[in-house]
């Protein structure tokens, strides 16, 4: 089941099948903060990322003079140096949203003393996206967004928080000579979006096959780059997933390359 806590009123227990809640009997104006926590069959609150993730407080207002925050904020790393944000415009309750303020932090809670950026919200169409290009690689970032009312410049409460982790930057091809295979990293961190670059140069023309095994010698994934020309540097990438599309467990993996007149094994560590 779920437990919904709020700053106004007692906590509410909701069945696991319920995905909505109508809060009634509020006075005007009232600002109410809500948090939803999942509880398992043993009665343990589940706030670990292994379950539903850390609950992100959301807020809304019944006030006729205050504005609501944006909702549905999401964050996605689109490269090692950029994170894309999207959100649903505020329910402005008849007032004009002049702009949106975006706040960022590398930890929770996200401070709102100084905005990362303030985005003008044109009347012709609301702003619902922003790409942050001032991030570093291999770093997690947390965001919240606030609405700003025209005229009074009043800020709403925070949207839900959203987070994304930037992957490692792209690395140049690994130098290999004829009859060699090499990797661009010794450790693969697939949950950050990193992919393992596998570079090879086989001696003869023909079909290349690359198989990936766990330490128990079970076949995990097969990559078939296809035909290649001998003496030509080639590459293929592994995203850390098995043949069913699931991320593999942490541990050591053996990568085997087979081609006409060429056979080699190398190990790589996967860390989740």
């Amino acid at each position: 089941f779920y437990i919904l806590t709020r700053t106004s009123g007692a906590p509410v227990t909701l069945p696991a099948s319920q995905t909505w809640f109508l809060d009634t009997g509020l006075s005007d104006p009232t600002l109410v903060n809500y948090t939803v926590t999942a509880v398992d069959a043993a009665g343990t609150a589940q706030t670990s990322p292994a379950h539903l993730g850390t609950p992100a407080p959301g807020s809304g207002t019944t006030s006729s003079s205050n504005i609501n925050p944006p909702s549905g904020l999401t964050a996605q790393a689109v490269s090692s140096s950029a994170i894309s944000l999207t959100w649903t415009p505020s329910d402005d309750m008849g007032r004009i949203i002049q702009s949106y303020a975006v706040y960022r932090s590398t930890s929770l809670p996200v401070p709102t003393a100084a905005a990362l950026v303030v985005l003008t919200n044109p009347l012709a169409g609301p702003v619902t996206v922003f790409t942050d290009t001032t991030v570093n690689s291999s770093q997690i970032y947390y965001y919240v967004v606030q609405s700003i009312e025209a005229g009074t410049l009043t800020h709403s409460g925070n949207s839900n928080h959203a987070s994304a982790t930037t992957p490692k930057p792209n690395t140049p091809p690994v130098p290999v000579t004829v009859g060699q295979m090499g990797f661009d990293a010794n450790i693969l961190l697939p949950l950050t979006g990193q992919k393992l670059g596998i570079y090879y140069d086989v001696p003869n023309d023909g079909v290349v096959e690359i198989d990936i095994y766990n330490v128990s010698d079970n076949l995990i994934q097969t990559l078939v780059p296809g035909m290649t020309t001998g003496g030509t540097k080639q590459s293929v990438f592994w995203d850390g997933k098995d043949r069913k599309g699931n991320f593999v467990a942490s541990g050591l993996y053996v990568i085997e390359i087979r081609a006409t007149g060429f056979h080699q094994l190398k190990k790589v560590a996967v860390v989740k």
Side-chain angles (χ1 to χ4, degrees):
F1 60 93
Y2 298 105
I3 295 178
L4 182 145
T5 56
R6 46 190 175 159
T7 54
S8 176
V12 179
T13 300
L14 304 173
S17 59
Q18 186 166 333
T19 58
W20 57 271
F21 174 72
L22 178 63
D23 201 0
T24 60
L26 300 175
S27 59
D28 184 11
T30 300
L31 177 65
V32 185
N33 293 312
Y34 299 90
T35 299
V36 177
T37 302
V39 179
D40 64 17
T44 303
Q46 302 298 332
T47 59
S48 165
H51 294 82
L52 294 182
T54 302
S59 60
T61 180
T62 61
S63 172
S64 59
S65 59
N66 294 328
I67 54 175
N68 280 312
S71 60
L73 178 65
T74 66
Q76 181 179 7
V78 294
S79 72
S80 61
S81 59
I83 292 177
S84 176
L85 304 180
T86 62
W87 61 85
T88 300
S90 306
D91 176 3
D92 56 18
M93 306 181 71
R95 283 166 166 74
I96 297 175
I97 305 301
Q98 175 176 299
S99 52
Y100 290 101
V102 179
Y103 300 89
R104 184 187 74 189
S105 178
T106 55
S107 61
L108 289 176
V110 179
T112 55
L116 172 68
V117 65
V118 176
L119 305 170
T120 301
N121 186 51
L123 293 176
V127 174
T128 59
V129 296
F130 169 69
T131 300
D132 184 4
T133 58
T134 62
V135 296
N136 297 319
S137 62
S138 304
Q139 176 67 56
I140 186 169
Y141 291 93
Y142 299 90
Y143 298 86
V144 295
V145 179
Q146 294 180 353
S147 306
I148 303 176
E149 184 180 359
T152 66
L153 299 183
T154 300
H155 285 237
S156 72
N158 292 342
S159 69
N160 62 291
H161 81 250
S163 65
T165 301
T166 51
K168 285 186 174 182
N170 293 328
T171 56
V174 173
V176 292
T177 59
V178 177
Q180 281 190 351
M181 174 177 64
F183 305 151
D184 62 358
N186 294 323
I187 297 176
L188 172 61
L189 306 171
L191 297 187
T192 67
Q194 178 195 2
K195 295 183 179 181
L196 178 70
I198 304 171
Y199 299 86
Y200 57 91
D201 190 343
V202 299
N204 303 301
D205 296 356
V207 176
V208 173
E209 179 175 324
I210 297 174
D211 294 320
I212 302 171
Y213 299 85
N214 61 19
V215 291
S216 299
D217 204 30
N218 297 315
L219 180 63
I220 299 299
Q221 181 62 278
T222 295
L223 308 175
V224 185
M227 294 290 296
T228 190
T229 302
T232 303
K233 294 177 174 61
Q234 304 287 339
S235 63
V236 67
F237 293 87
W238 180 42
D239 57 7
K241 295 181 180 180
D242 60 20
R243 290 180 291 179
K244 294 182 179 179
N246 300 317
F247 286 113
V248 301
S250 297
L252 285 176
Y253 290 83
V254 177
I255 298 183
E256 177 184 43
I257 183 169
R258 293 180 180 274
T260 304
F262 179 60
H263 179 217
Q264 187 179 0
L265 303 172
K266 287 179 70 71
K267 293 182 179 179
V268 65
V270 174
V271 178
K272 292 171 60 178

